[in-house]
Amino acid sequence: MTIRTIVTIVEETLRDGDRDVAPAARVAIVAAVLRNPWYGQGFVEDLAPGIAANASALGALLAPRVVDALGAPVEAYGKAAIVGLGGEVEHGSALIHTLTFGDHLRTLTGASSLLPAVEKRAPAAASFDIPLKHITDQTIRSHHQSVEVRLADAPAEDEIVIALAVASTGRPHARLAPFSTES
């Protein structure tokens, strides 16, 4: 695995809807820009060797960094794979849609729910939204949110951006009724 860059972003919302947010709502993102392990090989039928060589190592690298960057207990999480134009969406999906990738973050956070994802092909500087859901109960509406990310120089044609995002709370001032109240 060849990593060119690791980017860490921390966002704190202190005020929203004309009201203070206390404690601040924190979101952290850690993204690795790596060379696509399947780039230049044409159509690769069996992605398993590349998955085995990279997915767990990526999860082990990114999970502790994003949890540390948040600096608070994790309540929501999500992931992303943005593939440069010389690759396939399947290349990014192969790296993030494995237990060997996601279980690193689940273990660190005590999470049990599905780790929501976004994946797409895009040129460098494309924006993408990482969906976030509660770490143990996807029906908790307050934690359904997303965080926008854009890396000015990635992904290049032969790269993939793999990112994890975590949040310390749900949306600021969330006040929608629980799913269970709807008929």
Side-chain angles (χ1 to χ4, degrees), residues 10-13 23-28 68-72 145 166-170:
V10 177
E11 175 184 293
E12 287 186 302
T13 301
R26 293 177 58 90
V27 177
D68 289 347
L70 186 65
Q145 57 185 324
V166 294
S168 63
T169 66

Side-chain angles (χ1 to χ4, degrees), residues 58-180:
L58 277 168
L61 173 72
L62 299 178
R65 285 178 183 243
V66 76
V67 169
D68 289 347
L70 186 65
V74 174
E75 289 189 12
Y77 62 3
K79 61 187 174 184
I82 311 305
V83 180
L85 296 178
E88 302 171 37
V89 171
E90 191 71 0
H91 296 161
S93 296
L95 295 174
I96 67 170
H97 290 301
T98 67
L99 293 176
T100 61
F101 175 80
D103 278 353
H104 291 282
L105 187 55
R106 282 186 200 88
T107 298
L108 284 175
T109 61
S112 58
S113 66
L114 178 74
L115 184 53
V118 62
E119 55 268 89
K120 69 179 187 178
R121 279 179 73 225
S127 65
F128 54 97
D129 291 343
I130 302 176
L132 301 173
K133 304 281 187 206
H134 194 277
I135 64 170
T136 60
D137 185 349
Q138 292 184 67
T139 68
I140 297 176
R141 266 193 190 156
S142 59
H143 288 62
H144 292 199
Q145 57 185 324
S146 61
V147 59
E148 184 178 21
V149 182
R150 186 182 73 81
L151 304 179
D153 67 344
E157 178 176 301
D158 64 342
E159 294 177 330
I160 302 175
V161 175
I162 301 295
L164 289 175
V166 294
S168 63
T169 66
R171 296 182 310 277
H173 312 307
R175 52 197 179 273
L176 297 178
F179 281 124
S180 60

